[in-house]
Amino acid sequence: GDSVTQMEGPVTLSEEAFLTINCTYTATGYPSLFWYVQYPGEGLQLLLKATKADDKGSNKGFEATYRKETTSFHLEKGSVQVSDSAVYFCALSTGNQFYFGTGTSLTVIP
Amino acid sequence: NAGVTQTPKFRILKIGQSMTLQCTQDMNHNYMYWYRQDPGMGLKLIYYSVGAGITDKGEVPNGYNVSRSTTEDFPLRLELAAPSQTSVYFCASSWDSTYNEQFFGPGTRLTVL
């Protein structure tokens, strides 16, 4: 069945470090891919998305490229800030359902 | 627009009690979803709906029931609460199931003792 596998956490980085969170997927057909962010005590919010192969989603300095050949959608940011500390979820959508990864907790220290 | 609202924010139940988690969206979305999130885990889909009067099971439906009498509301019913249902419950809605994002409510934290 359809599924998402993302990098285990937690991840701790110093401010201004480079961030990569890996995400790979298994899906029949042509899924849309998403990154969501969850701040403490809140629901998930969309960070970025890509709906077809080679699309790049970007928002708030975060980027991810939909790679069909490697079935991946890795999240990157060139310089993280303390305010980026949160849990990040990779997700895919095909048909009527969304499938979420288990989440990667990121802590950025000053 | 309020977006997706959920009530209550917190609840403690005793084993065997029942309750309804309320979810309302004001974006006229056809699709609505209920998820549970256990500590350190991802989201598991409980039930979803593709429109008023239409619901279907997700990955973990046992012990729950839903109804969708209007576009706006999608309540989740817990019958005979069990400790395994201790979790944070999120409701979400979207325009469609494939291309557009889901909008999430703030969650309900439920503890069953």
Side-chain angles (χ1 to χ4, degrees):
Chain A
D2 297 345
S3 67
V4 171
T5 302
Q6 68 179 96
M7 187 170 109
E8 296 267 337
V11 174
T12 302
L13 294 174
S14 297
E15 207 165 21
E16 299 184 3
F18 184 85
L19 168 71
T20 299
I21 301 177
N22 290 338
C23 172
T24 57
Y25 68 90
T26 302
T28 54
Y30 302 95
S32 294
L33 300 173
F34 305 82
W35 277 101
Y36 283 82
V37 59
Q38 184 180 32
Y39 299 103
E42 298 183 10
L44 279 69
Q45 305 170 25
L46 179 70
L47 182 59
L48 53 84
K49 71 177 184 181
T51 58
K52 61 182 188 296
D54 299 325
D55 268 2
K56 178 186 281 190
S58 62
N59 186 24
K60 300 181 182 178
F62 291 89
E63 292 184 340
T65 301
Y66 187 164
R67 302 278 189 208
K68 193 169 186 301
E69 63 275 13
T70 54
T71 62
S72 66
F73 192 55
H74 305 321
L75 182 69
E76 296 182 336
K77 186 175 186 183
S79 175
V80 294
Q81 306 300 312
V82 171
S83 57
D84 294 327
S85 298
V87 180
Y88 293 82
F89 292 90
C90 185
L92 72 82
S93 176
T94 62
N96 287 331
Q97 296 193 27
F98 274 65
Y99 298 88
F100 288 84
T102 53
T104 301
S105 175
L106 170 67
T107 301
V108 180
I109 54 177
Chain B
N1 284 352
V4 179
T5 57
Q6 292 182 238
T7 57
K9 284 189 169 49
F10 305 93
R11 184 72 185 269
I12 298 174
L13 284 182
K14 294 182 180 177
I15 294 171
Q17 289 185 318
S18 300
M19 78 164 293
T20 299
L21 281 65
Q22 302 291 346
C23 175
T24 301
Q25 53 93 8
D26 62 0
M27 296 173 282
N28 203 33
H29 288 166
N30 284 326
Y31 289 76
M32 295 187 75
Y33 311 82
W34 273 106
Y35 294 92
R36 58 177 288 171
Q37 183 181 33
D38 298 323
M41 303 292 286
L43 278 73
K44 301 284 189 185
L45 182 65
I46 305 171
Y47 272 96
Y48 67 98
S49 169
V50 302
I54 306 170
T55 62
D56 207 348
K57 296 178 181 178
E59 187 179 356
V60 290
N62 291 345
Y64 307 94
N65 278 300
V66 293
S67 60
R68 185 95 182 271
S69 57
T70 67
T71 298
E72 295 78 17
D73 300 309
F74 190 41
L76 177 72
R77 178 80 178 164
L78 279 72
E79 304 282 3
L80 299 175
S84 61
Q85 293 178 304
T86 294
S87 191
V88 180
Y89 292 84
F90 290 101
C91 179
S93 71
S94 66
W95 283 113
D96 64 29
S97 61
T98 303
Y99 299 111
N100 288 291
E101 68 186 279
Q102 292 190 350
F103 291 83
F104 282 80
T108 294
R109 185 174 295 276
L110 175 67
T111 302
V112 182
L113 301 175

